[in-house]
Amino acid sequence: PISFSLWCGRRAGDFIFFCLPRRRKIALDNIHKAYGNTLSETDKRDLARAAFQSMVVSVLELFVVKKIKNNFDGRFTLLGNEYLEQAFSQGKGVMLVISHLGSWEYLSFLPFITGRSWTVVVKSIKNPYLNEYVKHLRLATTVKPIEKVNSMRPIFKELKRNHGVAILIDQWAGEDGLWLDFFDVKTSTTSIPARLAKKTGCPLIPAYCLRQAAGKYEIHIHPAVPLDQDDENWERKTTEKLNGLLEEQIRKNPGQWLWAHRRWKKQPSQMRSA
């Protein structure tokens, strides 16, 4: 049963939390950067443990996607679909701005729920056999994965057809990103969604899939983030807005974000300054 499977996932998250001290330290360091002394050490540890549980459950949810698909109508609540419809009415496609918050893999149910074509930009898994299997699981929801490498041309094609394209924005972006505040700490942030919106005219729509109970989810669609192309700092300001909206959602659901990722690193020498 789904409820028992996800319970096992949380217990596996507990096991990983206690058995991987290096990854646990990364999570705790990140939480300290974000919250400082506003949380006690006990609260920080509890939050890190909840994040490990969420991380494992997120992986497990991908492997039970076919079970969820069998009765998805009763498992998902879509909030804010009017913002999607307004965006698609412009005829320039939609850039869905997503993150590793909640059950991010289950945003792939949007094709079933909205009746529209969706594509997601993904990073390949090093193991080719596992990569193919995960790709097969994602295709079960009819969402189309696009490999991150050489992804620009397929993205432009999908947007030109007035389809939806989802891009993750919450990982370290290296030298290609902008050096911006996230939880009041500078870090490299991708500005690809802003640049694509400027080039194609597609609206930027933030979206999150949050767990409410075992096998129950809410997909939150937010209003389009405006792109002021007349402002010379349009790229920075738009990316800051996306960062701010994501930070707001993480603060509301801190245990469902991927704190164990090294989101904050030292600034590379060639990085563009904000």
Side-chain angles (χ1 to χ4, degrees):
I2 294 295
S3 59
F4 181 68
S5 297
L6 299 183
W7 180 87
C8 290
R10 290 193 295 273
R11 300 294 73 78
D14 289 338
F15 178 79
I16 293 174
F17 174 76
F18 288 112
C19 293
L20 295 181
R22 183 178 178 185
R23 189 59 58 176
R24 182 175 67 241
K25 184 178 185 303
I26 290 173
L28 290 169
D29 287 347
N30 285 342
I31 291 169
H32 182 73
K33 284 185 175 72
Y35 288 94
N37 295 324
T38 62
L39 292 180
S40 68
E41 295 304 312
T42 299
D43 288 340
K44 290 174 184 176
R45 190 174 178 85
D46 289 344
L47 175 52
R49 182 176 174 179
F52 272 75
Q53 293 175 357
S54 177
M55 176 179 64
V56 176
V57 168
S58 296
V59 174
L60 183 60
E61 283 170 336
L62 181 60
F63 288 90
V64 298
V65 66
K66 293 182 179 179
K67 281 188 176 183
I68 296 291
K69 178 182 173 182
N70 289 337
N71 58 344
F72 75 92
D73 279 341
R75 296 189 179 279
F76 290 91
T77 301
L78 178 60
L79 303 175
N81 188 50
E82 65 271 18
Y83 301 125
L84 276 181
E85 293 305 312
Q86 291 169 7
F88 278 115
S89 69
Q90 299 178 29
K92 297 182 178 181
V94 169
M95 179 66 61
L96 202 69
V97 184
I98 65 175
S99 61
H100 293 90
L101 177 65
S103 180
W104 66 85
E105 288 284 358
Y106 279 3
L107 284 166
S108 63
F109 278 94
L110 279 173
F112 282 100
I113 299 170
T114 65
R116 294 185 177 275
S117 178
W118 288 92
T119 300
V120 61
V121 179
V122 299
K123 186 177 180 180
S124 297
I125 300 172
K126 291 182 180 180
N127 185 308
Y129 301 103
L130 182 58
N131 188 64
E132 283 302 309
Y133 184 57
V134 169
K135 182 178 179 180
H136 167 74
L137 293 173
R138 286 175 173 146
L139 289 171
T141 60
T142 73
V143 72
K144 294 177 288 184
I146 294 178
E147 299 289 346
K148 185 176 180 180
V149 178
N150 300 321
S151 62
M152 287 299 105
R153 182 172 293 182
I155 288 175
F156 288 138
K157 285 184 178 179
E158 292 299 312
L159 293 174
K160 189 174 182 179
R161 294 169 182 164
N162 198 29
H163 293 167
V165 177
I167 292 184
L168 289 155
I169 65 161
D170 62 335
Q171 291 188 303
W172 169 258
E175 294 182 0
D176 296 328
L178 291 176
W179 195 245
L180 301 174
D181 280 341
F182 189 53
F183 284 89
D184 297 322
V185 182
K186 297 288 186 184
T187 188
S188 176
T189 304
T190 182
S191 61
I192 287 177
R195 285 184 277 152
L196 284 172
K198 186 175 189 298
K199 189 172 184 64
T200 66
C202 71
L204 294 172
I205 301 288
Y208 314 93
C209 181
L210 302 172
R211 297 185 195 92
Q212 302 303 309
K216 297 284 186 178
Y217 307 90
E218 280 185 357
I219 295 179
H220 293 250
I221 307 295
H222 290 251
V225 173
L227 183 73
D228 187 357
Q229 299 189 37
D230 295 329
D231 190 323
E232 63 178 6
N233 294 318
W234 60 269
E235 182 181 1
R236 176 180 62 82
K237 289 185 176 180
T238 303
T239 306
E240 283 177 336
K241 289 177 185 175
L242 294 174
N243 257 6
L245 289 169
L246 173 57
E247 180 182 328
E248 180 182 332
Q249 292 303 311
I250 292 172
R251 288 187 183 278
K252 291 179 180 178
N253 307 276
Q256 294 195 44
W257 192 54
L258 193 65
W259 290 101
H261 167 67
R262 291 187 65 198
R263 184 65 184 91
W264 291 274
K265 300 180 185 179
K266 292 182 179 179
Q267 182 176 7
S269 58
Q270 302 301 316
M271 178 174 291
R272 293 179 293 161
S273 173

